[in-house]
Every structure is written in structure tokens, then in C-alpha cells.
Amino acid sequence: MPRKLSALDPQRLDNQICFAVYSAAHAFNRVYKPLLDRLGLTYPQYLVMLVLWERDDVPVKDIGEKLFLDSGTLTPLLKRLEAAHLVRRTRSSEDERQVLISLTPQGHALKEKARAVPQSILAASDCSVSELVAMKDEIVALRDRLNAVIGE
Amino acid sequence: MPRKLSALDPQRLDNQICFAVYSAAHAFNRVYKPLLDRLGLTYPQYLVMLVLWERDDVPVKDIGEKLFLDSGTLTPLLKRLEAAHLVRRTRSSEDERQVLISLTPQGHALKEKARAVPQSILAASDCSVSELVAMKDEIVALRDRLNAVIGE
DNA sequence: CCGCATTCAATTGCGAACAATTAAATGTGA
DNA sequence: TCACATTTAATTGTTCGCAATTGAATGCGG
């Protein structure tokens, strides 16, 4: 009978990388919360703003592809950003199916106020930049392998 | 003016480890979905079952500490597991404030049916066990450092 | 023993996340 | 041109996740 096999038991919570990732995501969320509260954003809203700060006037679909989110998540989220006067939602005239998301002046201005956020996160990570970059690349590679098997 | 600094821009989406973790968590969720559907569980419910398969008759608080979740999340989730006849919820007689969660026979039996899940995830990860263990340990260490700064 | 803080679960309200469906616009083939 | 499939958002319904509050049980100091 196994006695000290717990360190190898694949059915054990602490041996599962998925739980490590899951709980790390929540930990990030909790660290971000007070920083983003000051900006009036939730974390997913912050991600959308990051996308828009890189490229403005983007269809909902493109945002979804960048963030791996669908319209069921994005539509209400974008309506809240619109209600907060950070973005505008306009039907494309070329393709009436698309809704283009563009930044308002307030949305643009928020980028400056958000500049300190990544530094705060880096500090909370208590880790060198190079270590974080290496981890990030590994996690992204894992994510992409997982996403690859979704469509069989 | 910066031209090719995007690889260093800390405000760029793809440079943020938090987004890597966030999107990897969702990717795991999508891979788990079809596997857990067969067990009639969601991913957070599966995590609770993993805890209970390790130790039965646990107060809600202990489950919350293991999974970093609070009663606002766990109470309704546990009620759904109870409705599915996988767990029982009983007030502790020693301390009437506590609700003890115990497995039903069906709940116990589900552990066998769930045995194949970690292997499927490993296969989807397309990665050696030792690599995954190393990544897991790094991510857990990062998570614990993040959680450490929450309470200042 | 009593008053009071603490602990624990439950509740309420809001914002994701996603499956499934709907509806409108567009593209394509006969 | 017209039937039909595809694309794109929006909608509906269920489940998380958490902040804030509530209420009951417990523990502690005086």
C-alpha cells in the first residue's frame, strides 16, 4: 500500500498545475483590485483598455481574439465602459455587423494614470524582471498548447 | 521617440505575466470542460471534490483556505453539490457555527471515475511531467508572494 | 456571570465567463 | 438574382468570485 506517494499522486490538489494557475490568477486579481479601483476599472476591463491603448477603433471580435473572450462576456463589459465614458461603440459603415470600439478622450487619458500599475505588480511579485519574463513565456507556451487541443 | 520598445513596454498586453496566467487559467478551464461534463462537475466543483477526496468531513472554512475561496462562493457551490447528492452539509455539534462537508457514497465513488482526468490534462499540456512540476512550483511560489502582500 | 469582540456561514448585489440561441448583415453558388 | 451558409453582436440563463452585510454561536475580560 502506498504510504508516501502523495507527492506523486496525480489526483492530489497540490500536485496539479491547473490549480497553481487558477489560484495564481486569483492572487493577481486581488493584488490588482486596489490599484484598479482608483482607475474605476475591473481587471477584465483593464485588459480591454490595454488592447485599446495599443490600437484604437477595433471591432469587438478582434478584442475577443486577443483576450480569448466571446461576445457574451464582452458586450456587457463594453457597455459598462461606455457608460463610464471611456469608450464609444459604433457600427462600422463598411460592415454593419461589426461594432467598432474607440477610446474617448477620457479613455485615452486613463493610460497615463495607469502607467504606475505594472510597476506595482512587479514589486508585489517580488521577483526579477528576467525571471518573470521567462515564466511568462513558459506559461504562454503552455496556454497555446492547451488552446491548440481545443479544436481537436 | 521609442520605435521598437514594444518588447519592453510594461503597459503592453503581451508583456504582462498576469495576462499569461489569466488566459492560461481560461485555457485550462476549456480543456477541463468536456472531461468534467461527463462527471457532472464544473471546474471549481471539481477542486472542492479534490479537497474532499483527500480529507472528508471538513468545515467550509478549511475548504476555503485550501482553495482561496470565501463563503460567498462556496455556500451556493456546496448547495449545488448537495443537490447533486455528492456531499452532505451538517452543522458541527461541537461548534454550531461550523458546517461540515462530507462525501456521500456517490461522492466517494466519483473519485474512481475522475481518475483519468489528470492524465488527459497531462496529454493536453503536451509537456513532460518534470517540466510541469517545475512550472507548477514556480507559479505556486509567485502566487504565495502575491498573497503575502495582500495583508500588507 | 455578563457584555463585547470574534468567528463562521449565509445572504445580497454586481461583474465576469461561457454555452446556446437569435437576428441582422454579408458572402457565395447555382 | 435568389436561396443559403457564414459572420458578427446581442441576448438569455447558469455558475463563479468577491465585497459587504447579517445573524447566530463562541470565547474572553472583567
Side-chain angles (χ1 to χ4, degrees):
Chain A
M1 277 297 108
R3 202 175 326 180
K4 200 57 184 63
L5 287 180
S6 57
L8 297 171
D9 182 355
Q11 233 173 348
R12 203 179 149 80
L13 180 70
D14 289 339
N15 293 340
Q16 309 223 7
I17 190 170
C18 62
F19 176 63
V21 171
Y22 169 90
S23 54
H26 290 321
F28 268 118
N29 217 328
R30 284 190 285 271
V31 173
Y32 269 104
K33 183 101 189 10
L35 302 171
L36 296 181
D37 276 350
R38 276 177 258 162
L39 305 178
L41 294 174
T42 64
Y43 180 68
Q45 288 169 7
Y46 173 68
L47 292 180
V48 169
M49 295 303 288
L50 287 178
V51 170
L52 293 172
W53 288 331
E54 285 181 36
R55 187 162 71 83
D56 204 351
D57 221 45
V58 187
V60 173
K61 184 178 193 296
D62 288 21
I63 299 176
E65 281 172 3
K66 285 232 181 204
L67 301 181
F68 306 97
L69 297 173
D70 67 3
S71 68
T73 301
L74 287 173
T75 296
L77 186 156
L78 290 167
K79 284 183 178 177
R80 283 187 283 270
L81 287 180
E82 187 181 39
H85 307 294
L86 295 172
V87 307
R88 266 188 291 270
R89 301 161 60 249
T90 52
R91 289 269 161 197
S92 165
S93 53
E94 300 156 19
D95 185 340
E96 293 275 340
R97 292 171 301 183
Q98 293 188 345
V99 169
L100 298 177
I101 308 299
S102 53
L103 289 167
T104 63
Q106 294 101 305
H108 264 297
L110 199 63
K111 183 174 185 178
E112 293 310 310
K113 283 213 261 178
R115 208 168 281 274
V117 170
Q119 282 97 325
S120 302
I121 297 299
L122 177 61
S125 302
D126 189 25
C127 188
S128 76
V129 173
S130 59
E131 279 180 286
L132 282 180
V133 169
M135 275 184 74
K136 186 210 68 183
D137 290 342
E138 283 185 275
I139 296 167
V140 164
L142 173 61
R143 176 197 73 196
D144 291 345
R145 289 197 300 274
L146 290 171
N147 277 332
V149 302
I150 307 264
E152 265 76 354
Chain B
M1 276 296 111
R3 202 176 328 181
K4 199 55 187 61
L5 287 180
S6 56
L8 297 171
D9 182 355
Q11 231 173 348
R12 204 180 148 80
L13 180 70
D14 289 340
N15 293 339
Q16 310 225 6
I17 189 170
C18 62
F19 176 62
V21 171
Y22 168 91
S23 54
H26 290 319
F28 268 118
N29 217 326
R30 285 190 285 271
V31 173
Y32 268 104
K33 183 103 191 5
L35 302 171
L36 296 181
D37 276 350
R38 276 177 258 163
L39 305 178
L41 295 174
T42 65
Y43 181 69
Q45 289 169 5
Y46 173 68
L47 292 180
V48 169
M49 295 304 287
L50 287 177
V51 170
L52 293 172
W53 288 332
E54 285 180 36
R55 188 162 70 83
D56 205 350
D57 222 44
V58 187
V60 173
K61 185 177 194 296
D62 288 21
I63 298 176
E65 281 172 3
K66 284 232 180 205
L67 301 181
F68 305 96
L69 297 173
D70 69 2
S71 68
T73 300
L74 288 174
T75 296
L77 187 156
L78 290 167
K79 284 182 176 176
R80 283 186 283 270
L81 287 180
E82 187 181 40
H85 308 295
L86 295 173
V87 308
R88 267 188 289 270
R89 299 163 59 249
T90 52
R91 288 268 162 199
S92 164
S93 52
E94 298 154 21
D95 186 341
E96 293 275 341
R97 292 171 301 183
Q98 293 188 343
V99 169
L100 299 177
I101 308 300
S102 54
L103 290 167
T104 62
Q106 294 101 305
H108 265 296
L110 200 63
K111 184 173 185 179
E112 293 310 311
K113 282 212 262 179
R115 208 168 282 276
V117 170
Q119 282 97 324
S120 301
I121 297 299
L122 177 62
S125 302
D126 190 26
C127 187
S128 77
V129 173
S130 59
E131 279 180 287
L132 282 180
V133 168
M135 274 185 75
K136 185 211 68 184
D137 290 342
E138 283 185 275
I139 296 168
V140 164
L142 173 61
R143 176 197 73 195
D144 291 345
R145 289 197 301 273
L146 290 171
N147 278 331
V149 303
I150 307 267
E152 264 79 353

